């Protein structure tokens, strides 16, 4: 058995966007894989005959994406980059019972989010410039008048909006369905009606989304009253009723767990089907072996289906029209995409010791339909996580896991990496995590945990507002202390700390508050809450909500107190910073500030900045960049925990 290595990442297949055909006889999904030569990901369509039939690759161009079934149950439409046309998108179709893909139309925009309306009509979204005519020198500058003026993964967005369009193939006509200046966040269609959730603004984008309803021909557009709710997802249950995931934001702020509401389109009545519900809606399980996803909420035969995160695993629940909640299935790890039809559930799952595969549930018993990743781990020695619980000084119990070092000699002690997840409202679990298995294969033990701030344990547990760097720090140190007490194979003299985003913040915080760690790796982390407030895509509302202050409310003292940069003069830990040039969630300036502070105070440090990457580098960055990132991390640990020279 061989250990997992860095290059293995390039062979993994990532599944997403699974959809039943209208007749339930088949399902289609997308499979992506690294293309090292082009430094991108190939993307192709697959189909499976149900129940439990053959899995076939439908397309092989490596450039095929968003899919939608035709009402005939045989034909799949999809967006493709086979034809590279500036500011336009090619629409193709292919029959699942045989034949080649054929071009149907050239859509007049860069489109995404394809949805079929039947009879050759489609919905899609596209980002559109608002006010100024296109100029020949437009690429030479940016004019900023709004906040946010950029968004992670989308670049500069000032006076550009993601709009929703309807397109008719036969006539070649396109209709704009959106109110001017609205940024579409999600949409749904039923018959000739469309519901849109989005933010409409000029100058400063609000936190809350508005709800709009319109017909597919663009007529009868009206805004819906939403009773002060902060809405997330909107779906049709029937022609007269919408289903919403939404929250009041009271008392837990913007991160408060959603309830499920119905909205009567005739009367405007809002009713919570799950009053007092305190579950984490959606997928909060962290990982680096997925690329793409699927809807969090679906409606089928009047019932509402939702994915929820429960501590370190996921479930799908069904909510009846009367509000009865029952569990459809419990997955041992992450549900990355799913579909439901006639009592059957298809789920793309990432499980302990396994990469993604597609599972079919008839009831609660799964059948694995695919073997796309079987060969990737067949001969690999994997670290099996050992669960344990740590108790913080105030009595809080923290779920934690040790991923033991592989091949450790009897009596030997392994260096340890405390790995901190992002969010903070996400969660770690026992699912296959490439970085963990890579490090375990190189002789490192990994500590993973879900300290306060994490998803899956209710609002009170996840509430870190105004407490960043306090109770979460205590929880993490308790995890380290308990692991060292419980597992004699861990070397207390060779400890490292690492994390990204919120985990990067905590890494930066930790090195300014203790010198027990011999190495640190901080990725896309927060260094200075004052700077983040004014420079990132979410800072102007996220910082206020999470820290409880603005740079002016108390002279900036509250934000500064929670900023790791304030304590950088105390740091002694050699630290590697990894940031991306186009990360607009935690900008490059965050890493530069901490790097400069450590270097100024004589601490060994290194900053690696990746061009043409954003906040998602470790999860969906370009293949060569992901490889280089892991090489940098491993080399840093080898040098500072094992004494190897820097290459």
């Amino acid at each position: 058995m061989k250990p997992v290595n860095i290059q293995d990442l390039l062979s993994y297949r990532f599944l997403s966007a699974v959809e039943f055909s209208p007749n339930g006889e088949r399902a289609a999904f997308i499979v992506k894989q690294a293309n090292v030569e082009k430094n991108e990901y190939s993307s192709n369509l697959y189909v499976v005959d149900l129940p439990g039939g053959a899995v076939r690759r439908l397309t092989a161009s490596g450039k095929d994406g968003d899919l939608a079934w035709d009402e005939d149950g045989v034909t799949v439409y999809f967006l493709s980059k086979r034809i590279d046309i500036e500011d336009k998108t090619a629409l193709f179709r292919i029959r699942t019972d045989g034949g080649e893909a054929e071009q149907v139309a050239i859509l007049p925009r860069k489109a995404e989010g394809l949805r079929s309306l039947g009879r050759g009509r489609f919905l899609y979204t596209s980002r559109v410039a608002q006010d100024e005519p296109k100029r020949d020198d437009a690429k030479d500058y940016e004019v900023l008048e709004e906040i946010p003026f950029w968004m992670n993964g989308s670049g500069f967005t000032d006076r550009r909006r993601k709009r929703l369009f309807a397109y008719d193939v036969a006539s070649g006509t396109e209709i704009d369905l959106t109110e001017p200046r609205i940024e579409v966040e999600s949409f749904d269609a039923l018959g000739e009606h469309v519901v849109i959730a989005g933010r409409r603004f000029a100058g400063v984008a609000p936190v809350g989304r508005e709800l709009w309803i319109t017909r597919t021909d663009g007529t009868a557009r009206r805004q819906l009253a939403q009773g002060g709710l902060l809405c997330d997802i909107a779906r049709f249950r029937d022609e007269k009723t919408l289903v919403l995931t939404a929250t009041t934001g009271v008392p837990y702020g913007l991160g408060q767990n959603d309830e499920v509401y119905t909205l009567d389109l005739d009367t405007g009545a809002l009713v919570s089907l799950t009053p007092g519900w305190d579950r984490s809606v959606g997928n909060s399980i962290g990982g680096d072996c997925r690329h793409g996803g699927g809807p969090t909420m679906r409606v089928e035969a009047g019932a509402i289906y939702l994915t929820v995160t429960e501590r370190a695993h996921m479930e799908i629940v069904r909510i009846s029209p009367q509000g009865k909640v029952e569990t459809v299935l419990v997955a041992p790890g992450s549900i990355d995409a799913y579909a439901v039809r006639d009592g059957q559930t298809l789920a793309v799952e990432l499980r302990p010791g396994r990469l993604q595969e597609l599972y079919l549930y008839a009831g609660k018993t799964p059948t694995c339909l695919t073997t796309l990743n079987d060969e990737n781990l067949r001969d690999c020695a994997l670290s099996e996580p050992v669960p344990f619980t740590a108790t913080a000084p105030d009595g809080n119990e923290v779920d934690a896991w040790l991923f033991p070092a592989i091949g450790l000699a009897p009596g030997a002690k392994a260096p340890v990496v405390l790995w901190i997840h992002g969010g903070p409202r996400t969660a770690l679990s026992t699912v296959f995590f490439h970085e963990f298995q890579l490090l375990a294969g190189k002789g490192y033990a990994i500590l993973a945990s879900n300290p306060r701030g994490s998803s899956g344990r209710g609002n009170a547990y996840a509430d870190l507002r105004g407490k960043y760097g306090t109770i979460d720090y205590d929880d993490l140190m308790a995890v380290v202390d308990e692991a060292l007490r419980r597992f004699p194979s861990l070397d207390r003299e060779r400890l490292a700390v690492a994390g990204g985003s919120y985990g990067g913040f905590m890494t930066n915080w930790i090195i300014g508050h203790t010198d027990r760690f011999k190495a640190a790796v901080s990725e896309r982390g927060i260094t200075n809450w004052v700077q983040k407030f004014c420079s990132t895509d979410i800072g102007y509302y996220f910082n206020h909500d999470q820290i409880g202050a603005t740079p002016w409310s108390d002279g900036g003292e509250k934000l500064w107190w929670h900023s790791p940069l304030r304590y950088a003069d105390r740091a002694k830990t050699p630290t590697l910073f990894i940031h991306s040039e186009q990360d607009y969630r935690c900008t490059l300036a965050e890493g530069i500030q901490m790097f400069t502070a450590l270097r100024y105070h004589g601490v060994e440090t290194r900053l690696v900045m990746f061009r043409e990457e954003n906040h998602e580098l470790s999860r969906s960055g370009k293949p060569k960049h992901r490889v280089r990132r892991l090489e940098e991390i491993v080399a840093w640990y080898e040098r500072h925990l094992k004494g190897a020279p820097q290459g």
Side-chain angles (χ1 to χ4, degrees):
M1 301 290 282
K2 63 180 180 67
V4 171
N5 64 55
I6 293 175
Q7 299 294 324
D8 288 341
L9 180 67
L10 305 176
S11 300
Y12 299 162
R13 293 183 173 93
F14 308 115
L15 288 63
S16 64
V18 61
E19 295 289 347
F20 278 104
S21 62
N23 56 21
E25 296 177 359
R26 302 174 179 86
F29 56 99
I30 295 172
V31 177
K32 296 180 182 179
Q33 184 177 357
N35 182 326
V36 181
E37 181 180 350
K38 295 183 178 180
N39 199 25
E40 62 185 22
Y41 293 89
S42 63
S43 179
N44 292 301
L45 273 55
Y46 280 63
V47 67
V48 57
D49 296 322
L50 298 171
V55 178
R56 295 171 282 124
R57 187 173 67 180
L58 273 183
T59 67
S61 75
K63 298 180 179 181
D64 304 325
D66 291 1
L67 65 89
W69 281 97
D70 186 71
E71 63 263 38
D72 66 6
V74 177
T75 304
V76 174
Y77 288 88
F78 60 94
L79 304 180
S80 181
K81 297 180 181 178
R82 299 177 186 208
I83 303 174
D84 187 13
I85 310 172
E86 185 178 4
D87 298 329
K88 293 180 174 62
T89 307
L91 176 67
F92 279 73
R93 68 184 172 198
I94 188 169
R95 290 183 62 87
T96 56
D97 57 359
E100 297 294 323
E102 60 176 331
Q103 181 182 321
V104 175
I106 298 296
L107 305 179
R109 304 181 187 280
K110 286 292 184 184
E112 59 183 17
L114 186 69
R115 174 75 180 265
S116 174
L117 294 171
R119 304 193 306 277
R121 300 175 304 148
F122 299 89
L123 297 177
Y124 52 81
T125 58
S126 181
R127 190 163 294 281
V128 178
Q130 293 294 301
D131 301 319
E132 297 181 356
K134 188 173 181 179
R135 297 173 51 137
D136 293 339
D137 59 350
K139 294 182 179 180
D140 294 341
Y141 55 85
E142 292 288 341
V143 177
L144 308 181
E145 295 182 354
E146 301 178 335
I147 57 173
F149 47 83
W150 54 22
M151 293 177 64
N152 188 67
S154 298
F156 282 93
T157 58
D158 195 279
R159 288 165 297 139
R160 303 178 181 98
R161 298 288 187 272
K162 181 184 287 188
R163 307 284 288 275
L164 180 65
F165 298 90
Y167 184 83
D168 182 88
V169 171
S171 65
T173 57
E174 180 189 63
I175 301 172
D176 186 347
L177 300 181
T178 36
E179 181 74 9
R181 296 192 178 278
I182 197 168
E183 171 78 10
V184 174
E185 306 267 341
S186 67
F187 66 91
D188 191 32
L190 181 64
E192 297 301 313
H193 295 89
V194 179
V195 62
I196 300 166
R199 300 187 294 173
R200 183 177 50 146
F201 65 98
V204 179
V207 174
R209 298 172 177 89
E210 296 178 356
L211 294 177
W212 291 77
I213 194 164
T214 184
R215 294 183 60 84
T216 57
D217 61 4
T219 63
R221 183 166 57 202
R222 63 187 174 98
Q223 185 179 359
L224 302 175
Q226 54 201 71
L229 291 175
L230 298 173
C231 296
D232 186 12
I233 306 168
R235 297 283 185 269
F236 284 100
R237 190 175 71 186
D238 53 51
E239 291 185 351
K240 295 182 179 297
T241 312
L242 292 180
V243 180
L244 315 174
T245 57
T247 175
T248 62
V250 179
Y252 292 103
L254 299 181
Q256 183 165 306
N257 287 332
D258 284 338
E259 296 179 21
V260 180
Y261 290 81
T262 59
L263 173 59
D264 188 300
L265 292 174
D266 288 336
T267 67
L270 273 164
V271 177
S272 175
L273 294 179
T274 58
W277 217 36
D278 194 12
R279 304 195 69 180
S280 297
V281 173
N283 187 347
S284 297
I285 302 295
D288 59 358
C289 292
R290 60 172 72 99
H291 198 303
T296 293
M297 179 168 68
R298 291 182 180 269
V299 178
E300 202 255 346
I304 304 152
Y305 293 80
L306 286 169
T307 51
V308 296
T309 301
E310 187 68 24
R311 298 188 88 120
H313 70 270
M314 288 193 65
E315 301 177 4
I316 295 178
V317 300
R318 177 172 52 230
I319 305 173
S320 73
Q322 295 74 36
K324 180 183 177 181
V325 180
E326 62 178 314
T327 301
V328 175
L329 65 89
V330 177
S334 171
I335 300 172
D336 298 328
Y338 79 103
V340 292
R341 183 180 175 84
D342 297 334
Q344 297 187 103
T345 304
L346 285 167
V348 173
E349 294 185 24
L350 183 62
R351 293 185 165 204
R354 294 201 71 180
L355 289 158
Q356 283 182 325
E357 299 292 354
L358 180 63
Y359 297 82
L360 174 66
Y361 289 79
K364 297 184 179 181
T365 302
T367 299
C368 188
L369 299 181
T370 59
T371 56
L372 292 170
N373 278 304
D374 271 11
E375 292 299 320
N376 285 318
L377 300 181
R378 189 179 300 280
D379 299 320
C380 290
L382 300 182
S383 177
E384 296 186 9
V386 180
F388 67 98
T389 300
T391 304
D394 64 359
N396 181 60
E397 291 191 348
V398 185
D399 295 336
W401 299 267
L402 170 70
F403 289 76
I406 295 173
L408 192 66
K413 290 182 179 292
V416 184
V417 178
L418 172 66
W419 202 97
I420 308 168
H421 67 63
R425 276 187 173 243
T426 59
L428 291 175
S429 75
T430 58
V431 300
F432 183 88
F433 205 120
H434 176 74
E435 186 172 337
F436 290 5
Q437 296 296 337
L438 166 68
L439 294 175
K442 292 187 176 296
Y444 298 91
I446 298 91
L447 291 177
S449 64
N450 291 326
R452 275 171 286 190
S454 302
S455 294
R457 291 181 64 177
N459 283 312
Y461 191 88
D463 188 15
L464 269 188
R465 291 172 304 156
K467 304 171 188 175
Y468 279 62
T470 60
I471 56 174
D472 46 352
Y473 174 81
D474 291 342
D475 285 356
L476 290 165
M477 293 305 101
V479 168
V480 175
D481 293 339
E482 178 63 20
L484 293 175
R485 185 192 69 79
R486 186 183 294 245
F487 304 108
S489 62
L490 303 184
D491 191 341
R492 67 176 56 247
E493 301 301 322
R494 292 189 293 166
L495 302 177
V497 59
S501 196
Y502 164 77
F505 159 79
M506 278 308 307
T507 300
N508 295 339
W509 182 270
I510 285 170
I511 64 173
H513 287 78
T514 178
D515 60 1
R516 70 187 301 186
F517 296 94
K518 305 305 178 187
V521 177
S522 173
E523 303 185 68
R524 61 189 189 280
I526 299 166
T527 294
N528 182 346
W529 288 100
V530 177
Q531 187 263 315
K532 186 179 187 301
F533 187 102
C534 296
S535 64
T536 68
D537 57 357
I538 65 173
Y540 66 97
Y541 62 85
F542 180 85
N543 291 22
H544 189 196
D545 179 70
Q546 292 294 291
I547 304 302
T550 73
W552 309 277
S553 57
D554 60 351
E557 179 54 32
K558 178 68 172 172
L559 291 176
W560 182 236
W561 190 92
H562 289 278
S563 296
L565 187 63
R566 174 173 178 163
Y567 311 97
D569 60 334
R570 306 177 188 177
K572 298 179 181 178
T573 307
T575 303
L576 170 66
F577 295 98
I578 296 177
H579 274 262
S580 296
E581 182 182 38
Q582 296 173 9
D583 186 343
Y584 304 136
R585 185 64 40 82
C586 296
T587 62
L588 175 61
E590 297 287 338
I592 289 175
Q593 289 177 90
M594 200 71 177
F595 167 79
T596 300
L598 295 193
R599 181 60 70 187
Y600 179 81
H601 288 99
V603 179
E604 183 179 356
T605 184
R606 176 181 175 94
L607 189 151
V608 182
M609 186 273 288
F610 288 84
R611 298 192 187 281
E612 298 182 356
E613 294 290 358
N614 59 47
H615 200 67
E616 302 303 310
L617 167 65
S618 66
R619 298 176 284 250
S620 58
K622 295 180 179 180
K624 290 181 181 179
H625 295 173
R626 294 180 72 181
V627 167
R628 173 62 185 274
R629 168 188 170 270
L630 290 170
E631 290 173 343
E632 289 283 347
I633 291 171
V634 169
W636 195 255
Y637 292 148
E638 293 287 292
R639 177 176 181 178
H640 293 286
L641 299 182
K642 294 184 179 179
Q646 184 78 31

